[in-house]
Amino acid sequence: MTPLKHILIILLVLTTGLASGQVEFKANVSKTTLGINERLRIDFEMNKDGDNFNPPDFSNFEAVGPQQSVSNSWINGVRTFKKTYTYFLTPIERGTFTIGQATITIDGQVYKTIPQQITVTAAVDKPKDPNDPNYVASENIHLIAEVSKTNPYLNEAITVIYKLYVSPRVQVDTWNEKDSPRYNDFWSQNIDTQNQQVQTEMFKGENYRSLILKKTVLYPQKTGKLNIEPLVLDMALRVPTNRRDIFGNYLLTRVNRTITAGNKTIDVKPLPQNGKPADFTGAVGDFNFNISTSKKRLNASESLQIKVEVQGNGNLKLFKLPKVSLPSSLEVYEPEHQENITTNLNGMRGNVTDTYTVVPQYKGKYPIPSISFSYFDLTTQTYKRLSSDEIIIDVEEGPLNTADANAQNALRSGTKQPITLNKDQFVFIKTKTDLVSKTESSFFKTRLFWLLLLLPFLAIPIAILIMRNKAIRDADVRGNRIRKADKLSKKYLSAAKKSLGKKEAFYIALEKAVHNYLKARIHIETSDLSKDKISELLRERQVEPDVIKDFLSIVESCDLARYTPMTNVTMQEDYEKASKTISLIDKQAR
């Protein structure tokens, strides 16, 4: 072998050693765009073993993992090593998010991955796979959005009913609303569905269990094609597999599935222009119109009420009532607007009124002229006009309007009316002024000058004291953590109070308040939030057994609220119980 060949072999070995010694640590994602009902996989790979692996903060995702795998092989005398940490991520909401850097220490040096940007869109259709339990679930559970009318007029009421169909072959363990539809370009009103019962009905030619989850009344506010976004649910199911038990029954496997009702498109027709009244303000439905007065005979300086009322079925909250036109000699106050409206699956029903308070100043007869109200009748698909009768207000006792009386006498006699000057005729002219001297005074050696000069020197010891106290407070890491948790507890307890009546938002806020209170008061970490651990720590701090029992019942209520219906009375009792129990623990804990 020649010396040249020796040199080439040595260079080849050295090059191979350098290449194999280069450390790689990278993040690989299965997809960068996914629907809110999909999952993505992220792998953190390294070609050399390391320590202190720290994953990024998977905010906006529910993370499952890590799953660790190691591959070690020899090929042509060259060792190949690969270690992988795998996470499965389920998005919580739509948007564009960044998965931060993961870190690991290899041979004493810290390596970081490149951040990954992920886009989460609305729910998408998943491909069918008969061998996949998710496919079995998709064939046996359905979320349907039933729209009463897909081609309504502008401001015509339509209803959307979200109904869940579940086959008897699958079992539902839990479910929660993951993404609620946002009714852009609609006026919307939800109908209470808390008392809905599970029914049995035919669906796709088979018997299904059905439950109405949501009812909403919509009034379109724009014409053209409008989109109704889907309702999205997270569900924990048990579906049959191909395996059987010793009795021949199919074994069940648990599946977590996100289902959606799908988008719905509504084509809204504009109201016809033919025959549209000039005073039309957008009323659509079937209405009655009425004007009434509390009295027709009265004396001057007494008051009466004029009520303008529209009643019936239609978009009562979405149009303006006609205005009352009265003589200038009547003193009229701004109307008081009142609504007595109920909303059901047929839309809004009830009445709206404007009540005017009128005070006559002079004796006489005053007409309230006829007022008209126009609306679009959906039954006949034509515009209709309703008009009131003229009403005469008779003011029997009171002073005469001298200006009107003199004017009428002058007209009868054919003479000109003399002008009488009023002593208040020029009251609008300003007689007092705020004059400013043109000669400016010197600022030097004034009290303000000396105060501003000495103020920085007086502020120095105050600033030193503040900075010293801040340094002491910043050094108290544990105390800062406790104060932060206590602040969060009060914040969430306040959020829970504001969410009374909204079951999910209330119990989520209450649960966060309870957890943060435990962190602040007994220094417990989230990973230790078990009932036994909580009981043990509270007993050590000499908290009475009844108080511990009440505290644990609050935690149980937060857990049960996800799966069972809760009334407003129950939520109010849980909030008061939580406030009282936290106060008792503060007094008793040592």
Side-chain angles (χ1 to χ4, degrees):
M1 184 177 294
T2 62
L4 181 59
K5 288 184 178 180
H6 282 291
I7 294 172
L8 291 174
I9 292 173
I10 292 171
L11 290 175
L12 181 61
V13 171
L14 290 174
T15 304
T16 304
L18 289 173
S20 62
Q22 185 177 359
V23 176
E24 290 185 357
F25 180 47
K26 58 186 178 180
N28 297 321
V29 293
S30 58
K31 57 181 74 176
T32 57
T33 301
L34 71 159
I36 196 170
N37 60 331
E38 294 183 300
R39 294 199 308 173
L40 84 92
R41 170 176 172 164
I42 182 167
D43 295 323
F44 299 99
E45 297 181 356
M46 63 202 76
N47 64 350
K48 195 170 183 180
D49 199 3
D51 301 312
N52 301 325
F53 171 72
N54 291 312
D57 179 16
F58 297 114
S59 56
N60 304 302
F61 294 91
E62 294 177 357
V64 177
Q67 296 180 4
Q68 182 177 332
S69 62
V70 176
S71 173
N72 200 353
S73 61
W74 291 85
I75 301 175
N76 296 327
V78 178
R79 177 175 177 262
T80 302
F81 176 86
K82 183 172 74 171
K83 186 175 182 180
T84 306
Y85 291 94
T86 300
Y87 290 84
F88 294 92
L89 307 181
T90 302
I92 297 174
E93 57 183 342
R94 286 181 278 177
T96 300
F97 312 107
T98 299
I99 299 176
Q101 295 177 315
T103 62
I104 196 167
T105 303
I106 300 176
D107 294 337
Q109 186 173 351
V110 177
Y111 293 86
K112 299 180 181 180
T113 60
I114 298 174
Q116 303 292 321
Q117 185 167 304
I118 306 298
T119 301
V120 180
T121 64
V124 298
D125 294 332
K126 291 187 177 181
K128 299 179 179 180
D129 182 2
N131 298 320
D132 186 1
N134 284 291
Y135 173 72
V136 177
S138 68
E139 291 297 298
N140 290 276
I141 189 164
H142 308 276
L143 180 60
I144 304 298
E146 298 177 352
V147 181
S148 62
K149 194 171 185 178
T150 58
N151 188 222
Y153 277 105
L154 180 70
N155 267 316
E156 179 182 359
I158 62 173
T159 58
V160 182
I161 300 177
Y162 296 93
K163 189 179 291 187
L164 182 66
Y165 290 92
V166 181
S167 171
R169 291 189 291 270
V170 301
Q171 298 180 19
V172 177
D173 291 336
T174 61
W175 64 271
N176 67 285
E177 195 170 301
K178 184 174 184 178
D179 192 23
S180 298
R182 286 163 284 191
Y183 303 109
N184 298 325
D185 304 320
F186 291 91
W187 181 95
S188 63
Q189 175 71 52
N190 291 328
I191 307 298
D192 184 22
T193 58
Q194 288 187 355
N195 297 324
Q196 297 295 322
Q197 302 294 326
V198 176
Q199 305 289 335
T200 300
E201 59 180 288
M202 294 295 293
F203 181 75
K204 292 187 175 182
E206 298 182 15
N207 283 327
Y208 270 75
R209 294 166 292 170
S210 67
L211 178 65
I212 294 176
L213 303 180
K214 196 181 187 73
K215 295 179 182 179
T216 305
V217 176
L218 303 177
Y219 283 87
Q221 301 300 292
K222 288 177 59 177
T223 59
K225 294 186 181 298
L226 305 182
N227 181 52
I228 299 178
E229 295 181 349
L231 174 66
V232 182
L233 300 179
D234 254 348
M235 307 193 69
L237 312 169
R238 282 180 285 170
V239 301
T241 64
N242 293 327
R243 296 178 293 127
R244 297 176 182 264
D245 58 18
I246 58 175
F247 301 104
N249 299 319
Y250 284 106
L251 296 176
L252 301 179
T253 184
R254 186 177 178 112
V255 174
N256 291 317
R257 179 167 175 78
T258 302
I259 63 173
T260 174
N263 286 284
K264 295 292 182 181
T265 300
I266 308 298
D267 191 3
V268 182
K269 298 180 293 186
L271 298 176
Q273 294 296 320
N274 185 23
K276 185 176 181 179
D279 60 349
F280 178 70
T281 59
V284 177
D286 183 15
F287 303 106
N288 293 319
F289 178 61
N290 181 51
I291 293 183
S292 61
T293 61
S294 61
K295 58 182 78 171
K296 294 184 179 179
R297 294 178 179 271
L298 73 163
N299 296 328
S301 298
E302 292 182 359
S303 66
L304 67 103
Q305 282 72 43
I306 302 176
K307 181 182 290 186
V308 180
E309 179 182 20
V310 172
Q311 60 180 351
N313 187 9
N315 60 334
L316 288 164
K317 296 183 179 181
L318 303 175
F319 60 83
K320 294 182 179 180
L321 294 176
K323 298 290 185 182
V324 174
S325 177
L326 296 174
S328 59
S329 53
L330 296 177
E331 185 176 357
V332 184
Y333 295 90
E334 284 296 318
E336 178 185 355
H337 185 76
Q338 291 182 329
E339 297 178 351
N340 181 22
I341 301 172
T342 59
T343 305
N344 54 32
L345 291 180
N346 294 321
M348 289 185 265
R349 177 179 292 276
N351 62 76
V352 291
T353 59
D354 279 348
T355 303
Y356 296 81
T357 298
V358 180
V359 181
Q361 301 296 319
Y362 304 102
K363 180 180 178 179
K365 294 183 182 292
Y366 301 94
I368 301 177
S370 174
I371 303 175
S372 62
F373 169 72
S374 333
Y375 69 95
F376 182 74
D377 189 350
L378 292 169
T379 304
T380 61
Q381 298 188 4
T382 58
Y383 292 97
K384 291 188 176 181
R385 178 186 294 276
L386 303 175
S387 299
S388 66
D389 296 330
E390 184 181 66
I391 301 175
I392 302 297
I393 304 299
D394 187 4
V395 183
E396 298 175 334
E397 299 292 338
L400 291 174
N401 190 338
T402 55
D404 292 343
N406 293 336
Q408 291 175 4
N409 293 332
L411 288 173
R412 293 192 192 100
S413 62
T415 60
K416 294 184 178 180
Q417 177 70 20
I419 298 175
T420 303
L421 295 178
N422 191 327
K423 65 178 181 179
D424 296 329
Q425 184 173 0
F426 302 101
V427 72
F428 64 92
I429 299 177
K430 190 171 184 180
T431 58
K432 294 183 179 180
T433 59
D434 297 326
L435 301 178
V436 179
S437 174
K438 296 177 64 176
T439 305
E440 297 182 357
S441 59
S442 175
F443 175 68
F444 184 66
K445 292 186 179 182
T446 62
R447 291 183 180 180
L448 181 60
F449 169 80
W450 292 114
L451 179 63
L452 294 177
L453 183 64
L454 297 175
L455 189 61
F457 298 98
L458 297 175
I460 292 174
I462 298 175
I464 293 174
L465 183 61
I466 293 173
M467 292 176 63
R468 182 178 300 170
N469 290 336
K470 185 178 183 301
I472 295 173
R473 190 180 181 91
D474 292 342
D476 185 11
V477 177
R478 182 180 178 185
N480 287 335
R481 185 167 61 250
I482 292 172
R483 283 189 289 271
K484 181 179 179 182
D486 186 48
K487 182 178 179 182
L488 285 174
S489 174
K490 293 179 180 178
K491 169 187 173 184
Y492 287 122
L493 201 56
S494 174
K497 185 176 182 180
K498 295 178 182 177
S499 302
L500 280 169
K502 303 175 183 177
K503 187 190 75 172
E504 293 184 8
F506 170 77
Y507 281 102
I508 288 173
L510 186 61
E511 185 178 23
K512 289 181 179 179
V514 169
H515 288 178
N516 282 285
Y517 173 75
L518 290 176
K519 293 178 184 178
R521 195 66 181 86
I522 61 176
H523 319 313
I524 189 172
E525 297 298 331
T526 304
S527 58
D528 295 331
L529 284 174
S530 65
K531 294 179 182 178
D532 293 339
K533 185 67 173 179
I534 294 171
S535 298
E536 179 185 350
L537 290 174
L538 291 176
R539 282 196 300 270
E540 289 177 358
R541 284 158 176 79
Q542 301 179 15
V543 178
E544 295 179 0
D546 291 342
V547 178
I548 297 175
K549 183 179 178 182
D550 289 343
F551 191 84
L552 294 178
S553 69
I554 296 168
V555 178
E556 291 178 359
S557 295
C558 294
D559 293 336
L560 291 175
R562 302 176 182 174
Y563 318 119
T564 58
M566 293 289 182
T567 64
N568 291 344
V569 175
T570 304
M571 284 186 273
Q572 181 67 36
E573 290 175 352
D574 286 341
Y575 174 79
E576 293 175 356
K577 188 176 183 180
S579 300
K580 179 181 178 182
T581 305
I582 288 175
S583 177
L584 289 174
I585 292 176
D586 278 335
K587 294 178 181 178
Q588 297 175 10
R590 299 290 186 269

